[in-house]
Every structure is written in C-alpha cells, then in structure tokens.
Amino acid sequence: NFSVSFPKTSKDELGDLARSIEALAAELNYLKQHRSEFLSSISHELRTPLTYIKGYTDIVRKRNLNEEEQQKYLTIISDETNRLSNLVKELFNLAKMDQNSFVIQKERLDLQPLLEKVSQKLTPALTEKKIHYMYQCQTQLYLMADPIKLELILFNLLDNAVKYSDTESDITLNAWKEKDSILIAITDNGKGIPEKDLPYIFNRFYRVDKSRTRSLGGTGLGLAIVHELVHAHDAEISVTSKEGVGTKFQLTFKEVSK
Ligand code: ADP
C-alpha cells in the first residue's frame, strides 16, 4: 500500500489566515474589555466602603453626638473597614492564583474530621440564624487535597448557604463515595439563584442582587476563589439552583486508597 500526502492546499489560504487573525483579535479584545471591566469593578468596590468610612468619620468628628449615636456610626466604620480588609485579602489571593505563585500542598486527607472542623467554625452563624444544620459523612473517605484550601472552599460555600437563607432554614452537608470519586454536596433551601445568573456566579465581583449582598457583607469574590481553588485541585464543582427553592453546590474529587 502506497500513499502520498500532499500539503493541504486550501484555495483560500489568505482567507483562512484572515479569519484566524480576526478570531485572535476578537479574543484579545475580549481580554482587554474584561480587564478594564475588572479594574473598574475593583475601584468601585474599594470606593464604596471608603465613602462610608469617610462620611461617617466626618459625622463623628464634626457633630455633637450622644454616646448611642457615636456607637452606631463607629460600628458602621468598623464594619466597612472589615469589608475593605477582606476585599484586599481576597484580591491578593486571586492575584497570587493568577500568577500561579499559589502553592497547593496536597496530602492524603481523611475527609470526615475536616468536615467536622468546618462545621464547628460555622456554629456561631448557624446558631444566630437558628439554621437546622444536617451533616452526613461516610467514614473513611480519602482524597488528595490541601487541607487549608479545602477548608476554605467548604467554608465559603457553607457561609454563602447561611448568608442567602432565611432564619430557621435547612442546610445539609453530605459527603459520600461514588465509583472512584468522593462527592461533597452543600444544599440549602434559601433564596436560590435565578437561572439567568447561574452561568456567571463564579465570575469575579458577580452578585445576583448587589444591594442585598452588600448589606450581607459579601465581596462578590468568594465563589471566584472557590472556583480557582477547586480547579487547582483538579476537582470539579457544579451548581443547581431554583429561585425561591434553594441551591446545591457539589464538589467531585478523585478518591485515593486508604
Ligand atoms: P458574595 O461575597 O457576594 O457572597 P460570592 O462570589 O460568594 O459573592 O457569590 C456570588 C453571588 O452568588 C452572591 O452574591 C449571591 O447572589 C449568589 N449566591 C452564592 N451562593 C448562594 C446561595 N447558596 N444561595 C443563593 N445565592 C447564592
């Protein structure tokens, strides 16, 4: 058997090239646009708490306030300072991830104690909102993960579940084994996420309801960080949600042997 392959000659080589260049230009344009969108989001997010801090500092300084009013304004100043500090911390984390200077130190982990630890950390928020928290984890689930980063992933997801649920709602944390995967699901019956917003919730600064989430202290970076961390682990995250019904985030890790 004998065959000769000739260089593929397209009649329209120049046209093909032009189309590739066009596609490349479109991609660069997209990146440029997103970069400036991102920068303007950052400046907006930084400016808002600063405006509050400046405004309320002026009030406390210039007006003759009674003790109670002073406390009220100082609390706002303190909350907004915390928000700024969180924002800067989260932006710094994302910048490190972007530069790949972010080290994931994977080790073989027993999932159950880690889930218990995260649940413990959440107790004050759960108690305050009288949440019915259910936690089910099979024993002896082993995976490769960075314990600090996995804790951060779970904490962010659970913290959102609490934030976007009414008082006395249900939140469930489940972990189980399926074939050679370890699955972790966080389910709430809170406000849910509208279908049109679902594709964007892992984007930086994306929030479904800006004014509402602001009052809850969100930065809009939590899920972006979760997404980066999950991918750094070669794991997967998926979300299903229905407005007014609830939300479920599911993580899939590869199982490692005992
Ligand atoms: P934020 O700091 O605002 O909570 P995130 O990046 O963590 O930002 O989440 C992005 C947006 O996704 C939130 O502003 C909220 O609108 C929506 N969201 C995230 N988790 C949930 C949830 N469990 N239930 C309802 N909405 C959620």
Side-chain angles (χ1 to χ4, degrees):
N1 241 346
F2 173 77
S3 74
V4 184
S5 67
F6 293 97
K8 210 171 132 209
T9 52
S10 149
K11 281 205 200 82
D12 191 19
E13 273 175 350
L14 274 179
D16 285 349
L17 187 65
R19 274 185 288 280
S20 322
I21 292 173
E22 236 166 63
L24 193 66
E27 197 173 320
L28 284 173
N29 220 347
Y30 174 88
L31 286 175
K32 208 169 102 191
Q33 192 188 339
H34 278 73
R35 184 171 171 267
S36 61
E37 265 170 32
F38 183 55
L39 285 175
S40 64
S41 301
I42 293 180
S43 42
H44 173 80
E45 296 297 328
L46 292 173
R47 219 181 308 122
T48 317
L50 281 173
T51 310
Y52 278 94
I53 293 169
K54 172 90 178 73
Y56 286 108
T57 311
D58 285 348
I59 292 177
V60 173
R61 225 160 36 99
K62 290 181 191 151
R63 287 206 211 146
N64 228 343
L65 302 172
N66 62 35
E67 179 75 14
E68 193 187 329
E69 286 170 323
Q70 256 191 32
Q71 280 308 318
K72 190 173 110 194
Y73 294 135
L74 289 174
T75 307
I76 299 176
I77 294 171
S78 164
D79 288 351
E80 293 296 322
T81 312
N82 284 340
R83 182 203 300 280
L84 258 185
S85 149
N86 277 341
L87 197 63
V88 171
K89 209 165 58 192
E90 292 188 339
L91 278 170
F92 185 64
N93 278 338
L94 278 168
K96 275 200 295 190
M97 292 179 204
D98 285 347
Q99 292 161 4
N100 283 335
S101 58
F102 188 79
V103 193
I104 295 277
Q105 285 178 319
K106 285 199 217 175
E107 56 185 77
R108 192 174 145 282
L109 278 183
D110 183 358
L111 191 56
Q112 198 186 21
L114 190 122
L115 294 191
E116 266 162 31
K117 194 169 152 206
V118 180
S119 303
Q120 281 284 326
K121 282 199 177 164
L122 218 72
T123 308
L126 294 170
T127 317
E128 199 189 321
K129 270 195 141 174
K130 301 196 183 107
I131 302 275
H132 309 286
Y133 180 66
M134 280 154 291
Y135 158 70
Q136 286 170 327
C137 178
Q138 284 179 359
T139 52
Q140 306 215 313
L141 298 180
Y142 293 95
L143 46 82
M144 290 298 287
D146 181 321
I148 294 169
K149 309 287 188 305
L150 180 56
E151 208 185 300
L152 191 62
I153 293 172
L154 296 167
F155 186 84
N156 273 337
L157 294 174
L158 284 163
D159 187 51
N160 276 348
V162 177
K163 260 197 317 203
Y164 302 109
S165 292
D166 290 330
T167 45
E168 300 189 29
S169 301
D170 301 329
I171 293 178
T172 320
L173 173 63
N174 281 324
W176 70 100
K177 191 180 124 121
E178 210 171 281
K179 291 188 191 134
D180 46 8
S181 295
I182 306 282
L183 286 100
I184 308 170
I186 292 119
T187 316
D188 66 61
N189 60 357
K191 66 190 299 246
I193 301 166
E195 205 179 329
K196 66 169 177 44
D197 295 295
L198 267 184
Y200 309 108
I201 56 164
F202 293 105
N203 292 358
R204 295 170 190 194
F205 293 120
Y206 195 84
R207 283 175 295 190
V208 174
D209 176 350
K210 284 208 184 274
S211 55
R212 198 186 130 101
T213 54
R214 243 196 81 75
S215 69
L216 293 170
T219 60
L221 291 175
L223 284 182
I225 291 174
V226 165
H227 193 255
E228 299 277 345
L229 288 175
V230 168
H231 285 275
H233 276 90
D234 296 319
E236 275 165 39
I237 183 162
S238 65
V239 54
T240 46
S241 187
K242 207 169 160 125
E243 213 179 345
V245 179
T247 305
K248 176 175 167 182
F249 283 93
Q250 188 161 303
L251 299 162
T252 311
F253 284 82
K254 280 190 195 70
E255 191 200 18
V256 291
S257 53
K258 282 169 200 145

